[in-house]
Amino acid sequence: MRDNSFGIAFPILGKNSDFTHFAWIGSPDIKTALSNTKRMFSDPLFADFSKKVSGLRKVVNTTMSVRIMDY
């Protein structure tokens, strides 16, 4: 997965009332992913954004996946 891989999508199969959409951010390796996440969560702009949208969204789950093969 490339550094600039990111997106937002909605489930098509297995959809239920637990969530309406999901987002992803790609990283070349786990170390980079964890570093970028830590940096994002500590950014004052992210804290401000999270505060502003807290009534509009709820984080249901966070998952780290590792891609085994690219095509």
Side-chain angles (χ1 to χ4, degrees), residues 22-52:
F22 58 93
W24 73 89
I25 299 172
S27 298
D29 53 58
I30 293 174
K31 183 178 179 180
T32 304
L34 293 173
S35 174
N36 289 343
T37 299
K38 185 177 179 180
R39 187 172 61 236
M40 179 183 70
F41 286 161
S42 66
D43 190 307
L45 291 174
F46 182 77
D48 185 47
F49 168 78
S50 292
K51 183 178 177 182
K52 288 178 180 176

